[in-house]
Structure formats: C-alpha cells, structure tokens
Amino acid sequence: MSGTDSTAPADLIDAEEDLIPAPQVAAARRRLRTHPALLLVGIVLAAVNMRAALAGVSPLLNEMAQHFHLAATATSLVTTIPLVFMGLGSLIAPRAARRWGTEAALCGALVALCGGIVLRIAPPVAALFAGCAVVGASIALLNVLMPGLIKRDFPERAAGMTALYSTAMILGATVSAASAVPLENALGSWQGSLVSWALLAAVAALVWLPQAVLARRGTHHGEAAATPAHAAGSGPKLTRSPLAWQVTVFMGSQSLIAYVIIAWMPTIFTDHGMGKSEAGLVFAFSTLVQTVGSFVVPTLAGRMRRQRALGVAVSALMACGVTGLLIAPVAGAWLWAAILGVGQGGALGLALTMMVLRSGDAHTAARLSGMSQTGGYLLAAVGPLALGAVHQATDGWTVPLLLLLAVCAGLALLALGAGRDRRIGGAS
C-alpha cells in the first residue's frame, strides 16, 4: 500500500500520484518549500474555501426561491448543479495539474470560484445556475489537487497537515452556514450574504499567485509541467470489478444523503416553525460535529480487516437522525443534527478509507478514488433534485424523508459488500 499509514484519513483523488514533474518545476518547488509558511497559509485558505460557498446557500434557499420565483424542484438545482460539476470537474483536475502544474491550477480554481460566487447573484436566473456550475467545477479542482500537494510538500507531516486541511474545510463550512442569516441581516440582502465569500476566495487566490508563477519559472511556453508516471489504461479494469462498483455506489449513496441534508435541513426546520436564524445555527452545528465521525471512523477502519460493522453503524446513525426529522423535527432539532453530523462525517471518512483499503497498490487506489468521486458526486446530484420534486408533489416532508430512510438502508447493504476484506489488483 505504498507505505500509507492505515490509520490516517484517506484522501480523494491524488493529482500528484501519477505525475513526474519537469526538472525546472521540481527545482522551483524545492525552492518554494524553503518558505513553508506561505504554503501553509495557502493550504489553509484554500481549504476554508472548499465548502464555504456551498454551506452558506442552504439557510438562504427560501429567500432565493422567492426572489427568482422558483418551485421546490427548481430550487434544488442550486445544490444539484454544483454536485454534477464536482463530478465532471474531477476528470479535468489531473490533466490541469499535468499541463500547468498544481500551483497554477489551484490559483486558477480559486479565481474561478470567486467568479462563480459573484455570478450566482447576477439578476437573471440563468446566471444563478451558471454560477453554481462554476462553483462546483472549481471545488472539484480543489478537491483533487489539495491532497497530493500536501503529501508532496509535507511528506514528514502529511497526517498532521491533512488533519489541518480537513479541519479548516469543515470550519469554513460551519462558519459559512452559521453566519449566512446574520450576514443577510447585516448587509440587507441574501445577495450580500452570498457574495461576501467571494472576498475570501480572492484573498486565497492572491496567496497562491506568486507560488503559481514561481513554480513555472524556467519552463518554456507551452511546455507541460509534468508527465504521467504510468501508461494510460494500466492496472486492473475497475469498471469490471464488482468491488469497485460497491465502493463507488457506497461513496455516492452517502454523498446523496449528505447533500440532501445540506440542501434541505434548514428548510425542513423553518417549514415546521423554527426561525431561520436558529435553523442556520442548527445546520452549522451539524456540520461542525462531522469532525467527530470523520476522525474516529477512519481511525477504527484502518485497524480492522473488515469494515462491514462500521458501515452498518454509520448508516444506522444517519437513519436515526432522519427518523428524528420525521417525527419531531423542531423539538429534537439539536439532537438530530448531532446524530446526523457524526453519521455523515463517519460515512464520508469510511468511504474515503475504503478506497485505499480495497486497493492492492497506490496506483489502483488513485484510480479507484477517481472512479468513486466522479460517480459518487453524479449519483449524489440525484438526491436534492429528486427529493425536492417529491416535496413539491406531496406538499410535505414525510415522503421525502421516508425515501431518504430507504437510501440509508441501501447504504447499510452496500457496506456489507464494500467492507469485505478484499483487494482490487491484489489478493482477492
């Protein structure tokens, strides 16, 4: 398994895994590593931006729907479109890293993220959806580029840096969700609240700009920053592996549940009489406690040969939280938020860990991560749209939440297959 610490959190696609940098680029990166503070600040700022632009939307969905005169199904596109482009953008990121270098691709992704956030508040509704697409594609690039850069530039402290980057990402989402309504009140509109996060993306892009320029110093115009280490199509055929599909659908199913909660949790609370400020805080709390599950579950998973029981456990936690939303959404809101948060964090951590544990080598793990992330986000995109349509058709949340419970049950069944002690590209 290429010396990976089995107890450390697993990464998403690693854009650096199969790339050999050009000599000039490698030399420039060695010089950049002599100034680790700049790299550290850049990593933290990029990580904070990776979920903030999505989490701050959910508490404002009702205002956005009223402003654009959108029904529930159309409103769900605000969450669905970024997910589609997060899946599709995952295919582009490794190519961008190879062509322009990770630093330049990161800087470009942050510039695009800033533009996408601003585009979402432009007057026509088409601009809202176009901005959502740009935001999703930008986040996909950040998702793919960050893990490899951390392992490359901080090889002796990769676990600690990964924990820092993951914490910054969750804190960014938490602060964005908690401050969405207060910022709306302070700035006078949901547009002001939403666009305020473009400033943070712009600051992050400025921090990465000198690194992007310096990393390409000495290379000729049109010269690629890196070359592939493996031939295209090398390794086992993942699309023919039932185990690879089980891991992919597990990743997609837990993402579907998570993004339905992201899209609709505050709305469920406000539809049952809770104030939108409190609903935003409960949602932010649920996001924050994901850190518990995302730390504990991968640590346990790395010490076990089989992860089936863990998969069933995190599925049961999410099912309990969804059941709470069904029977007493406001009275037990903070409890359901905590249970859902721990379950969501644990399910995501387990999905990422299984990409490594089910692979026979690092090259296969990177390819399985790519398949699971791309397929997973595309599957997850179905959730907010489908449940939004069912909510609109039934004029209530009972049927949508029952359908979400069925997905939780399916996730537990998938865990029985994906959690087996098997390897792709290794001993079966």
mmCIF file of all heavy atoms in Angstrom, residues 64-118:
data_model
loop_
_atom_site.group_PDB
_atom_site.id
_atom_site.type_symbol
_atom_site.label_atom_id
_atom_site.label_comp_id
_atom_site.label_asym_id
_atom_site.label_seq_id
_atom_site.Cartn_x
_atom_site.Cartn_y
_atom_site.Cartn_z
ATOM 1 N N MET A 64 -33.920 32.873 -1.784
ATOM 2 C CA MET A 64 -33.525 32.765 -3.187
ATOM 3 C C MET A 64 -34.698 32.285 -4.042
ATOM 4 O O MET A 64 -34.928 32.790 -5.145
ATOM 5 C CB MET A 64 -32.332 31.807 -3.309
ATOM 6 C CG MET A 64 -31.078 32.320 -2.626
ATOM 7 S SD MET A 64 -29.752 31.084 -2.533
ATOM 8 C CE MET A 64 -29.305 30.976 -4.270
ATOM 9 N N ALA A 65 -35.441 31.311 -3.519
ATOM 10 C CA ALA A 65 -36.590 30.779 -4.264
ATOM 11 C C ALA A 65 -37.650 31.855 -4.469
ATOM 12 O O ALA A 65 -38.229 31.986 -5.562
ATOM 13 C CB ALA A 65 -37.171 29.587 -3.519
ATOM 14 N N GLN A 66 -37.908 32.641 -3.426
ATOM 15 C CA GLN A 66 -38.901 33.715 -3.542
ATOM 16 C C GLN A 66 -38.452 34.787 -4.527
ATOM 17 O O GLN A 66 -39.244 35.304 -5.323
ATOM 18 C CB GLN A 66 -39.167 34.322 -2.166
ATOM 19 C CG GLN A 66 -39.880 33.377 -1.200
ATOM 20 C CD GLN A 66 -39.893 33.906 0.225
ATOM 21 O OE1 GLN A 66 -39.579 35.071 0.470
ATOM 22 N NE2 GLN A 66 -40.254 33.057 1.173
ATOM 23 N N HIS A 67 -37.157 35.115 -4.475
ATOM 24 C CA HIS A 67 -36.638 36.167 -5.355
ATOM 25 C C HIS A 67 -36.759 35.783 -6.825
ATOM 26 O O HIS A 67 -37.131 36.600 -7.672
ATOM 27 C CB HIS A 67 -35.170 36.445 -5.007
ATOM 28 C CG HIS A 67 -34.524 37.477 -5.874
ATOM 29 N ND1 HIS A 67 -34.627 38.828 -5.622
ATOM 30 C CD2 HIS A 67 -33.768 37.364 -7.004
ATOM 31 C CE1 HIS A 67 -33.970 39.505 -6.552
ATOM 32 N NE2 HIS A 67 -33.434 38.644 -7.402
ATOM 33 N N PHE A 68 -36.423 34.519 -7.140
ATOM 34 C CA PHE A 68 -36.445 34.066 -8.534
ATOM 35 C C PHE A 68 -37.751 33.366 -8.910
ATOM 36 O O PHE A 68 -37.874 32.862 -10.031
ATOM 37 C CB PHE A 68 -35.273 33.120 -8.790
ATOM 38 C CG PHE A 68 -33.929 33.795 -8.817
ATOM 39 C CD1 PHE A 68 -33.007 33.580 -7.792
ATOM 40 C CD2 PHE A 68 -33.579 34.632 -9.859
ATOM 41 C CE1 PHE A 68 -31.756 34.198 -7.813
ATOM 42 C CE2 PHE A 68 -32.334 35.260 -9.892
ATOM 43 C CZ PHE A 68 -31.418 35.036 -8.866
ATOM 44 N N HIS A 69 -38.703 33.293 -7.955
ATOM 45 C CA HIS A 69 -39.994 32.632 -8.192
ATOM 46 C C HIS A 69 -39.794 31.169 -8.617
ATOM 47 O O HIS A 69 -40.350 30.703 -9.623
ATOM 48 C CB HIS A 69 -40.810 33.392 -9.250
ATOM 49 C CG HIS A 69 -40.985 34.851 -8.948
ATOM 50 N ND1 HIS A 69 -41.764 35.309 -7.900
ATOM 51 C CD2 HIS A 69 -40.452 35.958 -9.541
ATOM 52 C CE1 HIS A 69 -41.714 36.634 -7.863
ATOM 53 N NE2 HIS A 69 -40.932 37.044 -8.843
ATOM 54 N N LEU A 70 -39.002 30.445 -7.814
ATOM 55 C CA LEU A 70 -38.676 29.055 -8.122
ATOM 56 C C LEU A 70 -39.509 28.115 -7.266
ATOM 57 O O LEU A 70 -39.689 28.335 -6.066
ATOM 58 C CB LEU A 70 -37.192 28.780 -7.861
ATOM 59 C CG LEU A 70 -36.175 29.601 -8.666
ATOM 60 C CD1 LEU A 70 -34.764 29.279 -8.192
ATOM 61 C CD2 LEU A 70 -36.316 29.332 -10.149
ATOM 62 N N ALA A 71 -39.999 27.033 -7.873
ATOM 63 C CA ALA A 71 -40.639 25.957 -7.119
ATOM 64 C C ALA A 71 -39.552 25.102 -6.467
ATOM 65 O O ALA A 71 -38.359 25.273 -6.734
ATOM 66 C CB ALA A 71 -41.501 25.108 -8.051
ATOM 67 N N ALA A 72 -39.983 24.154 -5.604
ATOM 68 C CA ALA A 72 -39.012 23.349 -4.851
ATOM 69 C C ALA A 72 -38.078 22.572 -5.765
ATOM 70 O O ALA A 72 -36.868 22.469 -5.501
ATOM 71 C CB ALA A 72 -39.758 22.399 -3.910
ATOM 72 N N THR A 73 -38.607 22.018 -6.855
ATOM 73 C CA THR A 73 -37.764 21.235 -7.764
ATOM 74 C C THR A 73 -36.691 22.106 -8.389
ATOM 75 O O THR A 73 -35.513 21.720 -8.442
ATOM 76 C CB THR A 73 -38.624 20.595 -8.871
ATOM 77 O OG1 THR A 73 -39.652 19.811 -8.264
ATOM 78 C CG2 THR A 73 -37.783 19.705 -9.760
ATOM 79 N N ALA A 74 -37.069 23.281 -8.873
ATOM 80 C CA ALA A 74 -36.097 24.186 -9.486
ATOM 81 C C ALA A 74 -35.101 24.711 -8.447
ATOM 82 O O ALA A 74 -33.912 24.873 -8.739
ATOM 83 C CB ALA A 74 -36.817 25.352 -10.164
ATOM 84 N N THR A 75 -35.578 24.962 -7.224
ATOM 85 C CA THR A 75 -34.690 25.436 -6.160
ATOM 86 C C THR A 75 -33.602 24.420 -5.857
ATOM 87 O O THR A 75 -32.449 24.780 -5.580
ATOM 88 C CB THR A 75 -35.498 25.728 -4.885
ATOM 89 O OG1 THR A 75 -36.517 26.682 -5.182
ATOM 90 C CG2 THR A 75 -34.610 26.270 -3.778
ATOM 91 N N SER A 76 -33.940 23.122 -5.918
ATOM 92 C CA SER A 76 -32.958 22.080 -5.619
ATOM 93 C C SER A 76 -31.796 22.077 -6.608
ATOM 94 O O SER A 76 -30.728 21.535 -6.312
ATOM 95 C CB SER A 76 -33.635 20.712 -5.605
ATOM 96 O OG SER A 76 -34.090 20.363 -6.897
ATOM 97 N N LEU A 77 -31.979 22.713 -7.784
ATOM 98 C CA LEU A 77 -30.882 22.796 -8.756
ATOM 99 C C LEU A 77 -29.707 23.603 -8.215
ATOM 100 O O LEU A 77 -28.573 23.424 -8.663
ATOM 101 C CB LEU A 77 -31.383 23.410 -10.062
ATOM 102 C CG LEU A 77 -32.352 22.565 -10.891
ATOM 103 C CD1 LEU A 77 -32.872 23.371 -12.079
ATOM 104 C CD2 LEU A 77 -31.668 21.290 -11.381
ATOM 105 N N VAL A 78 -29.965 24.485 -7.253
ATOM 106 C CA VAL A 78 -28.887 25.272 -6.653
ATOM 107 C C VAL A 78 -27.877 24.349 -5.958
ATOM 108 O O VAL A 78 -26.678 24.653 -5.892
ATOM 109 C CB VAL A 78 -29.459 26.305 -5.656
ATOM 110 C CG1 VAL A 78 -28.354 27.069 -4.955
ATOM 111 C CG2 VAL A 78 -30.384 27.276 -6.388
ATOM 112 N N THR A 79 -28.348 23.219 -5.440
ATOM 113 C CA THR A 79 -27.456 22.217 -4.848
ATOM 114 C C THR A 79 -27.052 21.157 -5.862
ATOM 115 O O THR A 79 -25.914 20.684 -5.855
ATOM 116 C CB THR A 79 -28.144 21.533 -3.656
ATOM 117 O OG1 THR A 79 -28.523 22.522 -2.704
ATOM 118 C CG2 THR A 79 -27.214 20.536 -2.990
ATOM 119 N N THR A 80 -27.962 20.791 -6.757
ATOM 120 C CA THR A 80 -27.712 19.700 -7.709
ATOM 121 C C THR A 80 -26.645 20.064 -8.739
ATOM 122 O O THR A 80 -25.739 19.267 -9.019
ATOM 123 C CB THR A 80 -29.021 19.335 -8.440
ATOM 124 O OG1 THR A 80 -29.961 18.854 -7.482
ATOM 125 C CG2 THR A 80 -28.775 18.276 -9.491
ATOM 126 N N ILE A 81 -26.719 21.257 -9.306
ATOM 127 C CA ILE A 81 -25.769 21.649 -10.358
ATOM 128 C C ILE A 81 -24.325 21.637 -9.869
ATOM 129 O O ILE A 81 -23.448 21.097 -10.561
ATOM 130 C CB ILE A 81 -26.165 23.024 -10.947
ATOM 131 C CG1 ILE A 81 -27.463 22.885 -11.744
ATOM 132 C CG2 ILE A 81 -25.058 23.581 -11.834
ATOM 133 C CD1 ILE A 81 -28.030 24.199 -12.237
ATOM 134 N N PRO A 82 -24.001 22.187 -8.678
ATOM 135 C CA PRO A 82 -22.615 22.072 -8.216
ATOM 136 C C PRO A 82 -22.145 20.620 -8.086
ATOM 137 O O PRO A 82 -20.991 20.313 -8.407
ATOM 138 C CB PRO A 82 -22.647 22.766 -6.847
ATOM 139 C CG PRO A 82 -23.763 23.727 -6.938
ATOM 140 C CD PRO A 82 -24.799 23.056 -7.785
ATOM 141 N N LEU A 83 -23.036 19.726 -7.644
ATOM 142 C CA LEU A 83 -22.643 18.328 -7.500
ATOM 143 C C LEU A 83 -22.309 17.698 -8.846
ATOM 144 O O LEU A 83 -21.334 16.940 -8.969
ATOM 145 C CB LEU A 83 -23.754 17.535 -6.821
ATOM 146 C CG LEU A 83 -23.948 17.795 -5.327
ATOM 147 C CD1 LEU A 83 -25.162 17.031 -4.822
ATOM 148 C CD2 LEU A 83 -22.709 17.393 -4.555
ATOM 149 N N VAL A 84 -23.111 17.984 -9.855
ATOM 150 C CA VAL A 84 -22.832 17.453 -11.197
ATOM 151 C C VAL A 84 -21.454 17.917 -11.669
ATOM 152 O O VAL A 84 -20.649 17.120 -12.164
ATOM 153 C CB VAL A 84 -23.922 17.895 -12.193
ATOM 154 C CG1 VAL A 84 -23.526 17.534 -13.628
ATOM 155 C CG2 VAL A 84 -25.261 17.255 -11.835
ATOM 156 N N PHE A 85 -21.172 19.176 -11.474
ATOM 157 C CA PHE A 85 -19.897 19.708 -11.957
ATOM 158 C C PHE A 85 -18.731 19.347 -11.038
ATOM 159 O O PHE A 85 -17.577 19.353 -11.477
ATOM 160 C CB PHE A 85 -20.005 21.215 -12.188
ATOM 161 C CG PHE A 85 -20.695 21.547 -13.468
ATOM 162 C CD1 PHE A 85 -22.080 21.611 -13.538
ATOM 163 C CD2 PHE A 85 -19.973 21.749 -14.629
ATOM 164 C CE1 PHE A 85 -22.736 21.882 -14.731
ATOM 165 C CE2 PHE A 85 -20.600 22.026 -15.833
ATOM 166 C CZ PHE A 85 -21.993 22.083 -15.887
ATOM 167 N N MET A 86 -19.008 19.016 -9.785
ATOM 168 C CA MET A 86 -17.957 18.470 -8.925
ATOM 169 C C MET A 86 -17.527 17.099 -9.434
ATOM 170 O O MET A 86 -16.353 16.737 -9.392
ATOM 171 C CB MET A 86 -18.435 18.395 -7.474
ATOM 172 C CG MET A 86 -18.435 19.756 -6.781
ATOM 173 S SD MET A 86 -19.335 19.783 -5.206
ATOM 174 C CE MET A 86 -18.222 18.847 -4.168
ATOM 175 N N GLY A 87 -18.501 16.308 -9.925
ATOM 176 C CA GLY A 87 -18.169 15.014 -10.508
ATOM 177 C C GLY A 87 -17.427 15.150 -11.816
ATOM 178 O O GLY A 87 -16.384 14.521 -12.032
ATOM 179 N N LEU A 88 -17.929 15.993 -12.711
ATOM 180 C CA LEU A 88 -17.296 16.165 -14.020
ATOM 181 C C LEU A 88 -15.938 16.856 -13.903
ATOM 182 O O LEU A 88 -14.988 16.509 -14.606
ATOM 183 C CB LEU A 88 -18.217 16.974 -14.939
ATOM 184 C CG LEU A 88 -19.571 16.335 -15.271
ATOM 185 C CD1 LEU A 88 -20.415 17.285 -16.116
ATOM 186 C CD2 LEU A 88 -19.383 15.003 -15.989
ATOM 187 N N GLY A 89 -15.839 17.833 -12.995
ATOM 188 C CA GLY A 89 -14.579 18.556 -12.820
ATOM 189 C C GLY A 89 -13.462 17.681 -12.291
ATOM 190 O O GLY A 89 -12.277 17.959 -12.524
ATOM 191 N N SER A 90 -13.828 16.602 -11.585
ATOM 192 C CA SER A 90 -12.820 15.680 -11.062
ATOM 193 C C SER A 90 -12.028 15.018 -12.181
ATOM 194 O O SER A 90 -10.881 14.612 -11.984
ATOM 195 C CB SER A 90 -13.494 14.595 -10.214
ATOM 196 O OG SER A 90 -14.204 15.170 -9.144
ATOM 197 N N LEU A 91 -12.638 14.901 -13.370
ATOM 198 C CA LEU A 91 -11.953 14.294 -14.510
ATOM 199 C C LEU A 91 -10.916 15.238 -15.109
ATOM 200 O O LEU A 91 -9.939 14.798 -15.712
ATOM 201 C CB LEU A 91 -12.979 13.913 -15.586
ATOM 202 C CG LEU A 91 -14.085 12.942 -15.165
ATOM 203 C CD1 LEU A 91 -15.117 12.813 -16.276
ATOM 204 C CD2 LEU A 91 -13.495 11.582 -14.813
ATOM 205 N N ILE A 92 -11.138 16.539 -14.945
ATOM 206 C CA ILE A 92 -10.277 17.544 -15.574
ATOM 207 C C ILE A 92 -9.056 17.859 -14.725
ATOM 208 O O ILE A 92 -7.981 18.158 -15.255
ATOM 209 C CB ILE A 92 -11.086 18.837 -15.825
ATOM 210 C CG1 ILE A 92 -12.288 18.543 -16.726
ATOM 211 C CG2 ILE A 92 -10.227 19.939 -16.420
ATOM 212 C CD1 ILE A 92 -13.266 19.692 -16.819
ATOM 213 N N ALA A 93 -9.193 17.785 -13.403
ATOM 214 C CA ALA A 93 -8.145 18.261 -12.493
ATOM 215 C C ALA A 93 -6.781 17.607 -12.717
ATOM 216 O O ALA A 93 -5.765 18.315 -12.774
ATOM 217 C CB ALA A 93 -8.599 18.090 -11.052
ATOM 218 N N PRO A 94 -6.688 16.273 -12.832
ATOM 219 C CA PRO A 94 -5.358 15.686 -13.067
ATOM 220 C C PRO A 94 -4.716 16.180 -14.362
ATOM 221 O O PRO A 94 -3.491 16.380 -14.418
ATOM 222 C CB PRO A 94 -5.639 14.181 -13.121
ATOM 223 C CG PRO A 94 -6.902 14.004 -12.337
ATOM 224 C CD PRO A 94 -7.706 15.223 -12.636
ATOM 225 N N ARG A 95 -5.514 16.416 -15.384
ATOM 226 C CA ARG A 95 -4.986 16.939 -16.650
ATOM 227 C C ARG A 95 -4.486 18.377 -16.480
ATOM 228 O O ARG A 95 -3.453 18.759 -17.044
ATOM 229 C CB ARG A 95 -6.063 16.878 -17.739
ATOM 230 C CG ARG A 95 -6.491 15.464 -18.119
ATOM 231 C CD ARG A 95 -7.625 15.486 -19.141
ATOM 232 N NE ARG A 95 -7.989 14.150 -19.605
ATOM 233 C CZ ARG A 95 -8.827 13.341 -18.971
ATOM 234 N NH1 ARG A 95 -9.402 13.748 -17.837
ATOM 235 N NH2 ARG A 95 -9.109 12.145 -19.442
ATOM 236 N N ALA A 96 -5.224 19.164 -15.692
ATOM 237 C CA ALA A 96 -4.794 20.541 -15.433
ATOM 238 C C ALA A 96 -3.482 20.567 -14.666
ATOM 239 O O ALA A 96 -2.593 21.384 -14.958
ATOM 240 C CB ALA A 96 -5.881 21.290 -14.661
ATOM 241 N N ALA A 97 -3.347 19.670 -13.680
ATOM 242 C CA ALA A 97 -2.097 19.600 -12.910
ATOM 243 C C ALA A 97 -0.932 19.197 -13.800
ATOM 244 O O ALA A 97 0.189 19.706 -13.643
ATOM 245 C CB ALA A 97 -2.251 18.602 -11.765
ATOM 246 N N ARG A 98 -1.169 18.283 -14.727
ATOM 247 C CA ARG A 98 -0.104 17.841 -15.635
ATOM 248 C C ARG A 98 0.292 18.958 -16.604
ATOM 249 O O ARG A 98 1.467 19.153 -16.872
ATOM 250 C CB ARG A 98 -0.569 16.607 -16.411
ATOM 251 C CG ARG A 98 0.494 16.044 -17.348
ATOM 252 C CD ARG A 98 0.068 14.714 -17.941
ATOM 253 N NE ARG A 98 -1.032 14.858 -18.891
ATOM 254 C CZ ARG A 98 -2.230 14.293 -18.736
ATOM 255 N NH1 ARG A 98 -2.504 13.573 -17.663
ATOM 256 N NH2 ARG A 98 -3.162 14.453 -19.652
ATOM 257 N N ARG A 99 -0.698 19.682 -17.092
ATOM 258 C CA ARG A 99 -0.409 20.698 -18.120
ATOM 259 C C ARG A 99 0.186 21.967 -17.528
ATOM 260 O O ARG A 99 1.193 22.489 -18.032
ATOM 261 C CB ARG A 99 -1.723 21.030 -18.861
ATOM 262 C CG ARG A 99 -1.589 22.110 -19.933
ATOM 263 C CD ARG A 99 -0.709 21.634 -21.093
ATOM 264 N NE ARG A 99 -0.557 22.690 -22.094
ATOM 265 C CZ ARG A 99 0.295 23.697 -21.980
ATOM 266 N NH1 ARG A 99 1.068 23.796 -20.899
ATOM 267 N NH2 ARG A 99 0.394 24.608 -22.945
ATOM 268 N N TRP A 100 -0.417 22.512 -16.484
ATOM 269 C CA TRP A 100 0.008 23.814 -15.964
ATOM 270 C C TRP A 100 0.702 23.746 -14.600
ATOM 271 O O TRP A 100 1.276 24.742 -14.150
ATOM 272 C CB TRP A 100 -1.199 24.752 -15.861
ATOM 273 C CG TRP A 100 -1.755 25.112 -17.199
ATOM 274 C CD1 TRP A 100 -1.155 25.896 -18.156
ATOM 275 C CD2 TRP A 100 -3.014 24.716 -17.744
ATOM 276 N NE1 TRP A 100 -1.969 26.006 -19.253
ATOM 277 C CE2 TRP A 100 -3.122 25.293 -19.042
ATOM 278 C CE3 TRP A 100 -4.062 23.936 -17.272
ATOM 279 C CZ2 TRP A 100 -4.230 25.098 -19.855
ATOM 280 C CZ3 TRP A 100 -5.168 23.744 -18.086
ATOM 281 C CH2 TRP A 100 -5.248 24.312 -19.357
ATOM 282 N N GLY A 101 0.629 22.611 -13.935
ATOM 283 C CA GLY A 101 1.199 22.495 -12.600
ATOM 284 C C GLY A 101 0.131 22.672 -11.536
ATOM 285 O O GLY A 101 -0.842 23.414 -11.732
ATOM 286 N N THR A 102 0.316 22.005 -10.402
ATOM 287 C CA THR A 102 -0.692 22.039 -9.344
ATOM 288 C C THR A 102 -0.912 23.444 -8.806
ATOM 289 O O THR A 102 -2.047 23.863 -8.555
ATOM 290 C CB THR A 102 -0.274 21.095 -8.196
ATOM 291 O OG1 THR A 102 -0.188 19.768 -8.706
ATOM 292 C CG2 THR A 102 -1.277 21.130 -7.061
ATOM 293 N N GLU A 103 0.180 24.182 -8.630
ATOM 294 C CA GLU A 103 0.062 25.529 -8.055
ATOM 295 C C GLU A 103 -0.767 26.446 -8.947
ATOM 296 O O GLU A 103 -1.659 27.162 -8.474
ATOM 297 C CB GLU A 103 1.456 26.123 -7.831
ATOM 298 C CG GLU A 103 2.300 25.379 -6.813
ATOM 299 C CD GLU A 103 3.008 24.162 -7.392
ATOM 300 O OE1 GLU A 103 2.842 23.874 -8.606
ATOM 301 O OE2 GLU A 103 3.725 23.495 -6.639
ATOM 302 N N ALA A 104 -0.490 26.443 -10.252
ATOM 303 C CA ALA A 104 -1.237 27.295 -11.181
ATOM 304 C C ALA A 104 -2.696 26.850 -11.279
ATOM 305 O O ALA A 104 -3.608 27.681 -11.345
ATOM 306 C CB ALA A 104 -0.583 27.273 -12.564
ATOM 307 N N ALA A 105 -2.920 25.534 -11.279
ATOM 308 C CA ALA A 105 -4.295 25.020 -11.352
ATOM 309 C C ALA A 105 -5.073 25.407 -10.093
ATOM 310 O O ALA A 105 -6.268 25.761 -10.165
ATOM 311 C CB ALA A 105 -4.282 23.512 -11.538
ATOM 312 N N LEU A 106 -4.426 25.332 -8.925
ATOM 313 C CA LEU A 106 -5.075 25.753 -7.674
ATOM 314 C C LEU A 106 -5.442 27.228 -7.713
ATOM 315 O O LEU A 106 -6.556 27.619 -7.349
ATOM 316 C CB LEU A 106 -4.137 25.493 -6.492
ATOM 317 C CG LEU A 106 -4.314 24.215 -5.690
ATOM 318 C CD1 LEU A 106 -3.170 24.047 -4.703
ATOM 319 C CD2 LEU A 106 -5.639 24.236 -4.945
ATOM 320 N N CYS A 107 -4.512 28.060 -8.152
ATOM 321 C CA CYS A 107 -4.765 29.502 -8.233
ATOM 322 C C CYS A 107 -5.914 29.777 -9.198
ATOM 323 O O CYS A 107 -6.816 30.563 -8.894
ATOM 324 C CB CYS A 107 -3.490 30.216 -8.686
ATOM 325 S SG CYS A 107 -3.631 32.016 -8.722
ATOM 326 N N GLY A 108 -5.898 29.104 -10.339
ATOM 327 C CA GLY A 108 -6.976 29.279 -11.304
ATOM 328 C C GLY A 108 -8.321 28.841 -10.761
ATOM 329 O O GLY A 108 -9.343 29.485 -11.015
ATOM 330 N N ALA A 109 -8.332 27.743 -9.991
ATOM 331 C CA ALA A 109 -9.583 27.257 -9.398
ATOM 332 C C ALA A 109 -10.144 28.271 -8.410
ATOM 333 O O ALA A 109 -11.364 28.496 -8.358
ATOM 334 C CB ALA A 109 -9.344 25.921 -8.704
ATOM 335 N N LEU A 110 -9.279 28.920 -7.636
ATOM 336 C CA LEU A 110 -9.735 29.912 -6.662
ATOM 337 C C LEU A 110 -10.252 31.178 -7.356
ATOM 338 O O LEU A 110 -11.238 31.778 -6.914
ATOM 339 C CB LEU A 110 -8.602 30.249 -5.692
ATOM 340 C CG LEU A 110 -8.276 29.135 -4.692
ATOM 341 C CD1 LEU A 110 -6.915 29.359 -4.052
ATOM 342 C CD2 LEU A 110 -9.365 29.027 -3.628
ATOM 343 N N VAL A 111 -9.599 31.574 -8.452
ATOM 344 C CA VAL A 111 -10.105 32.713 -9.236
ATOM 345 C C VAL A 111 -11.484 32.383 -9.806
ATOM 346 O O VAL A 111 -12.418 33.194 -9.749
ATOM 347 C CB VAL A 111 -9.115 33.064 -10.368
ATOM 348 C CG1 VAL A 111 -9.744 34.101 -11.315
ATOM 349 C CG2 VAL A 111 -7.820 33.612 -9.790
ATOM 350 N N ALA A 112 -11.618 31.160 -10.360
ATOM 351 C CA ALA A 112 -12.910 30.737 -10.918
ATOM 352 C C ALA A 112 -13.976 30.651 -9.828
ATOM 353 O O ALA A 112 -15.144 31.012 -10.053
ATOM 354 C CB ALA A 112 -12.754 29.388 -11.618
ATOM 355 N N LEU A 113 -13.590 30.175 -8.634
ATOM 356 C CA LEU A 113 -14.537 30.097 -7.523
ATOM 357 C C LEU A 113 -15.045 31.485 -7.160
ATOM 358 O O LEU A 113 -16.256 31.684 -6.948
ATOM 359 C CB LEU A 113 -13.858 29.444 -6.311
ATOM 360 C CG LEU A 113 -14.703 29.320 -5.040
ATOM 361 C CD1 LEU A 113 -15.920 28.432 -5.285
ATOM 362 C CD2 LEU A 113 -13.861 28.753 -3.886
ATOM 363 N N CYS A 114 -14.146 32.438 -7.098
ATOM 364 C CA CYS A 114 -14.537 33.831 -6.809
ATOM 365 C C CYS A 114 -15.533 34.322 -7.858
ATOM 366 O O CYS A 114 -16.579 34.893 -7.523
ATOM 367 C CB CYS A 114 -13.282 34.706 -6.790
ATOM 368 S SG CYS A 114 -13.607 36.444 -6.444
ATOM 369 N N GLY A 115 -15.244 34.064 -9.131
ATOM 370 C CA GLY A 115 -16.148 34.481 -10.199
ATOM 371 C C GLY A 115 -17.491 33.781 -10.143
ATOM 372 O O GLY A 115 -18.541 34.400 -10.368
ATOM 373 N N GLY A 116 -17.486 32.484 -9.824
ATOM 374 C CA GLY A 116 -18.734 31.731 -9.733
ATOM 375 C C GLY A 116 -19.629 32.228 -8.611
ATOM 376 O O GLY A 116 -20.855 32.310 -8.764
ATOM 377 N N ILE A 117 -19.016 32.571 -7.464
ATOM 378 C CA ILE A 117 -19.790 33.100 -6.331
ATOM 379 C C ILE A 117 -20.466 34.410 -6.710
ATOM 380 O O ILE A 117 -21.640 34.634 -6.409
ATOM 381 C CB ILE A 117 -18.873 33.282 -5.101
ATOM 382 C CG1 ILE A 117 -18.398 31.925 -4.580
ATOM 383 C CG2 ILE A 117 -19.595 34.056 -3.998
ATOM 384 C CD1 ILE A 117 -17.328 32.012 -3.502
ATOM 385 N N VAL A 118 -19.723 35.285 -7.394
ATOM 386 C CA VAL A 118 -20.293 36.576 -7.823
ATOM 387 C C VAL A 118 -21.385 36.358 -8.863
ATOM 388 O O VAL A 118 -22.441 37.012 -8.820
ATOM 389 C CB VAL A 118 -19.180 37.486 -8.395
ATOM 390 C CG1 VAL A 118 -19.786 38.760 -8.985
ATOM 391 C CG2 VAL A 118 -18.175 37.845 -7.298
#
